[in-house]
Amino acid sequence: MTTLQQAQRPIPQVKGAPLVGNTFQFIRDPLGFLTRLQQQYDRLVRFTIANRLVTLTLTPEDARHILQENNKVFVKSDAYKVLSLFLGNGLLNSEGDFWRRQRRLAQPAFHRQRLALLADTMVQETQELTERWKQHEAELPIDISEEMMKLTLAIVTRSLFSSDVKKHLGSISQSVTTIIEFAYVQLHSFIQIPIHYPTPANIRYRRAVEKVEGIIYEIINQRRAEKRNGTDRRYDDLLEMLMEARDEETGEQMTDKQLRDEVTTIFMAGHETTANALSWALYLLAKHPAVAGKVREEVDRVLGPEGIPTAETVRGLTYTLQVVQETMRLYPPAWLFGRKPIADEPMGEFRLPANLGVLICPYLLHRDPKYWPNPNQFNPDNFLPERIKERPAYAYIPFGGGPRLCIGNNFALMEMQILLALLVRAFDFRTTRRSVIEPEPGITLRPRGGLRLRIKPVSD
Ligand code: HEM
């Protein structure tokens, strides 16, 4: 390991325009800009964006160093603060002992056995969707992005609150879109107007936050009231787990504010990401009918033609899982995330200065030709067990890594396998005339302009 004294080599820096640095190059085409840097530099490179100097890391080894080996030196980057008005001090944003305690309290809610109870919800919501789609006229394209967003929103909402909150889903969904878009614009603005200034964008954002928060508090209050009156049903949902969780050392439970922050975080982190991954998966399957055929064949073989997937049986859907993994390789929903070291940190012969942002880019790592032959091609065989063994683990990090690994990764994988199995068994997906869809990098990686596909029931 190098010491700080040995780490003296300056990190190369990209030339930028006066005052604005590389901001416009980045904003105009973030993926193109970063990909060009990957082609030109080996390990670390710096650029300025919105007045901030950031270091882009390019190797799996450095991703491992930051996320796992030396994770204690790194905290979340300033970008996460943009989300904090909404997410508060929930798991995604919190740090140190507070984060550790909250993670300990929340972890049991995500154990495999608990998740198994949620498989039914996933199946029911998807079956409702397939019934609706069967009534759809075959030649008319369906807005897959919107449908996947609604489906994963319904699933995460029922998983959190069991009770039927469908009446709220429409307005929640709109508010969530407003929040995500606001956060992305803020992230790349030169001047961040304080949130309490009554600009139209700030007002829209605050209203959206208040709406979602209002609904969440209403549900928490109702549940607390039921417990007080002894009228609560036996809930099997994530909220119940979080409300009942007790700190091993102090015996304390979460306050309403902590519950609000954790629930909002899970709610937010838990559906937009999955919806995007599913949209991309259906897009790739529409473009690769032979792969779709193999998924269908596997689903028929493992589940039977009418069989309902469960947490147990989806484990047999290994090829479907490979399709999910390969989709998130090409289109990782969390395509870029950041940290900053709390003290100067040696990185081989380089030195990362304290408090300057460091970027980890799954999108680049996942397409690095050093680890992926034909990196831009869709090939689920990249995830055959023997291929996985050949690569450094941090060459593939759709869920991050180390102690801050996504707490919902098993939830998301099970959800994506179940949904894909049911959708692909029931329908053939075909691209429309606009058959090439570009990724749009916002907070997550979405299909630009949405994704529309034609669907046809398989039995036709
Ligand atoms: C395809 C779907 C998903 C992707 C790609 C994804 C990706 C990620 C990534 C990359 C992180 C780490 C961020 C960082 O290190 O800064 C993360 C954290 C997190 N994710 Fe996910 N996620 C997904 C689904 C979910 C689901 C379904 C849930 C909950 C139901 C969830 C809840 C969380 C939470 C609470 C954290 C913060 C964990 C902590 O720091 O302790 N995610 N996710």
Side-chain angles (χ1 to χ4, degrees):
M1 206 170 105
T2 40
T3 62
L4 266 179
Q5 281 70 34
Q6 290 164 322
Q8 294 299 350
R9 200 174 141 199
I11 297 174
Q13 184 160 337
V14 186
K15 268 217 178 89
L19 297 175
V20 293
N22 311 99
T23 310
F24 293 120
Q25 287 162 287
F26 180 84
I27 289 182
R28 210 176 301 129
D29 176 16
L31 298 177
F33 175 67
L34 296 176
T35 303
R36 284 191 294 280
L37 296 185
Q38 182 185 39
Q39 286 157 358
Q40 290 164 30
Y41 298 91
D42 297 329
R43 181 171 183 180
L44 299 174
V45 54
R46 253 184 205 165
F47 57 94
T48 32
I49 168 165
N51 294 332
R52 283 177 289 235
L53 188 61
V54 289
T55 305
L56 174 69
T57 64
L58 293 164
T59 64
E61 292 72 27
D62 286 343
R64 177 196 283 275
H65 175 103
I66 295 167
L67 296 174
Q68 191 171 349
E69 284 154 4
N70 273 23
N71 72 80
K72 290 216 168 90
V73 180
F74 293 88
V75 292
K76 298 271 173 130
S77 62
D78 294 340
Y80 283 82
K81 286 195 192 127
V82 173
L83 297 171
S84 63
L85 177 72
F86 183 50
L87 303 183
N89 212 14
L91 276 178
L92 195 67
N93 271 3
S94 53
E95 300 285 355
D97 288 344
F98 183 82
W99 166 77
R100 242 181 304 284
R101 170 180 177 269
Q102 291 298 101
R103 178 93 187 198
R104 251 196 339 261
L105 287 177
Q107 196 72 57
F110 290 91
H111 278 165
R112 272 182 190 279
Q113 280 158 310
R114 293 290 314 174
L115 293 182
L117 301 173
L118 303 177
D120 251 4
T121 302
M122 295 171 182
V123 170
Q124 280 167 20
E125 290 293 336
T126 314
Q127 281 174 332
E128 264 183 43
L129 179 74
T130 53
E131 284 314 306
R132 191 155 51 75
W133 278 4
K134 281 181 185 156
Q135 313 305 321
H136 188 82
E137 243 176 89
E139 285 312 305
L140 281 181
I142 281 194
D143 187 335
I144 296 287
S145 310
E146 194 185 318
E147 294 280 358
M148 290 303 109
M149 207 64 89
K150 282 196 207 144
L151 179 59
T152 55
L153 183 64
I155 290 171
V156 81
T157 314
R158 272 186 63 188
S159 306
L160 271 163
F161 310 124
S162 18
S163 54
D164 201 330
V165 280
K166 279 220 163 100
K167 59 178 180 209
H168 297 305
L169 284 186
S171 66
I172 290 184
S173 169
Q174 250 176 14
S175 305
V176 166
T177 310
T178 309
I179 291 164
I180 291 173
E181 277 164 10
F182 177 88
Y184 189 66
V185 172
Q186 282 283 306
L187 216 55
H188 302 120
S189 304
F190 276 100
I191 306 163
Q192 288 180 355
I193 302 172
I195 198 69
H196 54 271
Y197 277 46
T199 62
N202 278 357
I203 292 172
R204 260 198 314 278
Y205 177 63
R206 286 159 62 107
R207 283 209 184 118
V209 171
E210 278 161 21
K211 173 150 260 156
V212 180
E213 187 172 56
I215 295 169
I216 289 172
Y217 269 133
E218 190 185 310
I219 297 169
I220 294 175
N221 289 341
Q222 193 183 333
R223 189 76 62 94
R224 290 245 195 255
E226 284 176 17
K227 282 184 193 298
R228 269 196 310 273
N229 309 333
T231 54
D232 62 325
R233 296 185 272 136
R234 274 184 51 84
Y235 291 101
D236 253 341
D237 52 27
L238 297 177
L239 176 62
E240 189 69 8
M241 290 289 290
L242 296 175
M243 284 178 97
E244 292 300 317
R246 271 181 201 282
D247 190 297
E248 276 168 21
E249 285 154 28
T250 61
E252 278 173 19
Q253 291 182 303
M254 288 191 214
T255 62
D256 278 4
K257 169 73 170 72
Q258 282 159 2
L259 271 176
R260 174 255 180 240
D261 291 351
E262 296 310 352
V263 164
T264 316
T265 299
I266 291 171
F267 178 72
M268 195 74 178
H271 82 281
E272 221 252 342
T273 41
T274 321
N276 284 322
L278 281 163
S279 293
W280 286 118
L282 292 176
Y283 166 68
L284 289 165
L285 291 176
K287 293 197 74 86
H288 297 86
V291 175
K294 274 182 84 173
V295 171
R296 198 167 292 128
E297 181 277 319
E298 178 180 76
V299 174
D300 281 349
R301 180 166 39 80
V302 175
L303 305 179
E306 299 289 323
I308 301 294
T310 62
E312 196 56 46
T313 54
V314 286
R315 285 200 210 144
L317 299 177
T318 50
Y319 188 71
T320 312
L321 178 62
Q322 283 174 231
V323 168
V324 168
Q325 289 167 315
E326 175 68 352
T327 301
M328 288 196 294
R329 178 182 75 80
L330 286 172
Y331 302 107
W335 64 282
L336 182 71
F337 48 88
R339 294 287 191 271
K340 59 179 187 183
I342 50 176
D344 282 5
E345 171 72 358
M347 197 87 120
E349 54 201 328
F350 300 103
R351 173 197 295 239
L352 296 176
N355 293 320
L356 274 194
V358 187
L359 295 175
I360 296 170
C361 184
Y363 180 87
L364 294 183
L365 291 169
H366 294 183
R367 289 177 187 241
D368 188 333
K370 281 197 221 71
Y371 310 106
W372 309 93
N374 304 317
N376 297 325
Q377 236 169 56
F378 177 60
N379 178 12
D381 287 351
N382 278 324
F383 288 89
L384 286 168
E386 59 273 22
R387 292 271 187 89
I388 295 176
K389 270 194 232 137
E390 291 165 2
R391 287 187 298 264
Y394 277 69
Y396 182 67
I397 50 168
F399 294 111
R404 306 294 302 242
L405 180 77
C406 174
I407 201 171
N409 67 343
N410 289 324
F411 180 117
L413 288 173
M414 178 171 87
E415 179 176 10
M416 290 189 278
Q417 274 180 291
I418 290 181
L419 270 53
L420 275 190
L422 292 173
L423 295 177
V424 174
R425 177 162 75 186
F427 299 99
D428 234 348
F429 293 86
R430 314 237 172 102
T431 50
T432 57
R433 240 179 290 155
R434 194 168 77 91
S435 72
V436 176
I437 308 283
E438 295 297 332
E440 179 177 18
I443 301 258
T444 55
L445 198 62
R446 294 185 279 193
R448 188 181 296 278
L451 171 68
R452 300 174 77 74
L453 294 176
R454 277 182 228 288
I455 57 168
K456 186 164 162 272
V458 165
S459 49
D460 277 15

